């Protein structure tokens, strides 16, 4: 399995719109370091059998797919309904056209209902031929229950994201926890044993809705992943400065980071949602 980080920025990206000359607000990030230029957070899992699963459709999706030369995936997981993780949903029409079929969309029933309320036309049944709009098929999952997406087993993790919830994702020895500020003991138990963990770390100091560096370090000590990769980073998180202070086994993500991992376990046919 290959994990591709399509974007690792917060809801406003880096740089944020603004700045003295209108060219962008970089905060503490060095504009000359290309790894500080961050689009909204999303990843793609490319499986060894050719299947691919996208996690979230942020507003930068088209540019992300073009930058990473990705044109095919069969499934999308939605971690939650916030705009910076959903609003690129119309861009999947191009992928519908490439693969010639609807794309399966996974999320909690509440999240899928929220997205369908905002983008109802995307979830209307497909009438072939052709795709004049994006076409998704809703497949609700239950937190904590193993679910098959394509040929592979996934487990979804309850997360607290400030005033809302979100879903973490575990697939084999890999886990993804974006947009999270609190993890219950039960959720930490599900994360135990992961080899590689991509986790929300918006800034260095405490935040009401996102994890910060000390909190991630506390979780890391509990979970003990071999590799911890920080994502959903804001303008306080300069790439080189982070590399200078982070311990071995912890690193900041960057747009386009590619991670090679063993293929995860296959799912049983009767588990397919």
């Amino acid at each position: 399995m290959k994990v591709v980080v399509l974007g690792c920025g917060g809801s406003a990206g880096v740089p944020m719109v603004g700045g003295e000359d209108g060219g962008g607000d970089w905060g503490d990030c060095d504009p000359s370091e290309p790894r500080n230029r961050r689009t909204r957070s999303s990843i793609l899992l490319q499986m060894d059998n050719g299947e691919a699963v996208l996690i979230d459709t942020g507003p930068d999706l088209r540019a992300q797919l073009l930058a990473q030369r990705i044109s095919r995936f069969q499934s999308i997981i939605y971690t939650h309904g916030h705009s910076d993780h959903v609003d690129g949903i119309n861009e999947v029409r191009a992928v519908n056209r490439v693969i010639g079929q609807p794309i399966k969309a996974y999320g909690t029933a509440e999240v899928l209902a929220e997205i369908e309320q905002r983008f109802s036309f995307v979830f209307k049944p497909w009438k072939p031929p052709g795709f004049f709009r994006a076409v998704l098929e809703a497949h609700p999952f239950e937190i904590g229950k193993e679910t098959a997406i394509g040929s592979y087993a996934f487990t979804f993790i309850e997360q607290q994201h400030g005033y809302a919830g979100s879903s973490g994702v575990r697939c084999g020895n890999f886990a993804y926890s974006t947009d999270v500020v609190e993890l219950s003991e039960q959720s930490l138990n599900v994360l135990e044993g992961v080899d590689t963990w991509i986790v929300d770390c918006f800034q260095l100091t405490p935040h009401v809705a996102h994890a910060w560096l000390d909190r991630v370090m506390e979780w890391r000590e509990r979970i003990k992943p071999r590799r911890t990769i920080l994502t959903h980073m804001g303008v306080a998180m300069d790439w080189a400065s982070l590399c200078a202070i982070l311990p071995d086994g912890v690193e900041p993500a960057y747009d386009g980071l590619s991670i090679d991992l063993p293929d995860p376990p296959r799912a049983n046919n009767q588990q397919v949602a």
Side-chain angles (χ1 to χ4, degrees):
M1 176 176 74
K2 178 181 289 186
V3 179
V4 182
V5 177
L6 301 180
C8 61
S11 61
V14 179
M16 300 187 296
V17 171
E20 291 184 2
D21 63 354
D25 180 355
W26 290 87
D28 295 327
C29 292
D30 180 359
S32 68
E33 170 53 72
R35 284 164 289 198
N36 279 330
R37 187 174 291 275
R38 302 176 182 128
T39 57
R40 270 60 75 93
S41 292
S42 174
I43 66 171
L44 185 88
L45 309 183
Q46 295 178 323
M47 307 303 193
D48 290 355
N49 68 350
E51 296 176 15
V53 180
L54 176 70
I55 301 184
D56 291 332
T57 58
D60 303 308
L61 182 61
R62 176 180 176 275
Q64 292 170 337
L65 296 178
L66 289 170
Q68 303 307 321
R69 299 182 180 272
I70 293 166
S71 61
R72 305 179 66 92
F73 48 83
Q74 297 78 31
S75 306
I76 300 170
I77 295 169
Y78 283 104
T79 60
H80 61 303
H82 287 174
S83 293
D84 57 315
H85 294 262
V86 174
D87 281 2
I89 194 169
N90 289 308
E91 304 297 349
V92 306
R93 177 181 66 161
V95 180
N96 286 135
R97 289 174 169 174
V98 169
I99 67 175
Q101 64 188 45
I103 295 169
K104 294 182 178 180
Y106 295 83
T108 64
E110 294 78 9
V111 165
L112 291 177
E114 178 184 351
I115 297 171
E116 186 169 359
Q117 184 179 31
R118 291 156 55 192
F119 299 96
S120 59
F121 61 93
V122 172
F123 292 90
K124 290 181 179 179
W126 177 48
K127 295 181 180 179
F131 291 90
F132 67 90
R133 59 177 173 85
V135 181
L136 300 183
E137 296 176 347
H139 292 264
F141 61 66
E142 294 181 31
I143 294 290
K145 182 178 180 181
E146 186 176 287
T147 301
I149 297 180
S151 304
Y152 296 88
F154 287 74
T155 301
F156 300 98
I157 303 160
E158 184 178 29
Q159 301 180 157
Q160 184 60 37
H161 175 34
Y163 303 108
S166 65
S167 298
V169 180
R170 178 164 183 173
C171 183
N173 288 326
F174 169 77
Y176 183 65
S177 297
T178 190
D179 291 65
V180 55
V181 68
E182 298 280 355
L183 287 168
S184 68
E185 188 65 20
Q186 183 177 4
S187 296
L188 290 168
N189 288 339
V190 177
L191 287 164
E192 277 188 354
V194 297
D195 174 86
T196 300
W197 185 32
I198 300 180
V199 57
D200 179 13
C201 189
F202 183 67
Q203 59 190 33
L204 299 174
T205 55
H207 190 279
V208 67
H210 293 276
W212 57 95
L213 187 56
D214 284 348
R215 174 145 294 180
V216 171
M217 293 300 102
E218 291 173 5
W219 289 338
R220 175 176 178 257
E221 182 63 25
R222 169 71 168 75
I223 298 167
K224 300 188 184 306
R226 178 184 63 87
R227 188 177 183 187
T228 301
I229 303 171
L230 312 181
T231 193
H232 211 285
M233 293 176 288
V235 296
M237 304 290 275
D238 177 68
W239 188 85
S241 299
L242 287 168
C243 290
I245 65 170
L246 292 173
D248 290 345
V250 184
E251 64 197 271
Y254 57 86
D255 288 18
L257 173 65
S258 179
I259 306 157
D260 290 315
L261 296 168
D263 215 35
R266 299 294 180 97
N268 296 324
N269 289 335
Q270 61 265 33
Q271 293 173 313
V272 176

